[in-house]
Amino acid sequence: MTTTQPPGTPLGSLPPREHLRLGQIATVLDVVIPVYNEERDLEPCVRRLREHLARTFPYGFRITIADNASTDRTPEVAARLDDALEEVTAVRLERKGRGRALRTVWSLSEAPVLAYMDVDLSTDLNALLPLVAPLISGHSDLAIGSRLSRGARVVRGPKREFISRMYNLILRGSLAARFSDAQCGFKAIRGEVAERLLPMVEDTGWFFDTELLVLAERAGLRIHEVPVDWVDDPHSTVQLVRTATDDLKGVWRVGRALGTGALPLDRLARPFGDDPRDRELSGVPGGLARQLVGFCAVGGLSTLLYLGLYSLFRLGAGAQLANAAALLLSAVANTAANRRLTFGVRGRDRAVRHQAQGLVVFAIGLVLTSGSLAALDAASGTPSHGTELAVLVSANLAATVLRFLLFRAWVFPDRAGRDDLVTPPHPSHDRNDLTRSTR
């Protein structure tokens, strides 16, 4: 599976999304069904899915059975289906892990749209075409079925419902995830996105889905959600406690990697829009609206921190000293927060330089606020604490506008055109673990 970079696309980033040229592609969709010891459910599941796709899906498709080192008759059933049904292929892996199975099969597939679903078919298959349609059209990069979004209809016990909702609350609180359902076994991804994204995903088990989605979202890829009808499988073999423990470990690992900037998410960036004119605009700053929102949010919190510190220091020091100390501490925190949240600079590279530049900006703010305090003292002699705070807020508003302009133009200039991005090598797969049935 290869992708061709169009002219003007930065090295290492993804090309613009385009509608698939369906007339030139024999197999548009590859649906993977990862299984482990599913000799009873595998055949009816595959036959039902194949019948549904043949009846409703207007393009070529393939169903790939990914056997995760089953120890029962699952390999025999898979091989029989491979021989009997033209659209079915069986793959045998010698090591367990749903994530390992998906990464292996998706990496080897040449289909432009890749999907997977659980063997129990808990999700209504009528959601399959709405799931993959935005990927075919070029609107989205990934698509997920959601049991927690508005419009979904779900039948399951209170225990699983509670665990699912709590897990997604943890993701929202710790990793700032905005998608609604990480673990629904009903997802799809465009092939060229999978080629870039899969090498960054470390997990080989149940956390694979979450890690894939978090990295995609942080990289700015578009995730489409489809409300699904879902009925719990009472015979599910998922070990809830062990899975939950592994997931929490994964949340910690991914959060730490994102916090330190260890992941090259720039390699997943998309050019703005699919209209060539969007990529030819000159003189228009990119991301201004988002940066303004982030800067205002950080600035609001920094102002509260500054005022709190000033009030604290004012108890034992003069106004000028209290102002300088509070502004210095809040400026360091402000620069660090804007570096990470507003301008998206991660890792330790140039961190000291950015703080030094931030201190220069701080000095300008100090001149404005100190000058305002000096003018207030000269005008009124002994102003009240409330008057001091009002004057400082006004001076800080003026300093904030200047700070944003300096941050954007000098401290954190647009680095979209930097040339230090390199395309990551695609990982080699251990073919000793893999056996593909062939005709």
Side-chain angles (χ1 to χ4, degrees), residues 95 97 126 129 158 165 171 240 260 275 288 313 337 404 416 426:
R95 289 190 292 172
N126 286 327
L129 186 54
R165 291 189 178 276
L171 293 181
L240 294 180
T260 59
D275 188 327
L288 178 60
F313 295 153
F404 177 74
H426 200 282

Side-chain angles (χ1 to χ4, degrees), residues 78-100:
R80 185 168 67 246
L81 290 168
D82 186 310
D83 293 335
L85 303 175
E86 181 181 357
E87 301 88 353
V88 176
T89 298
V91 172
R92 166 77 176 182
L93 289 95
E94 299 302 331
R95 289 190 292 172
K96 292 175 61 176
R98 182 180 69 172
R100 176 179 289 110

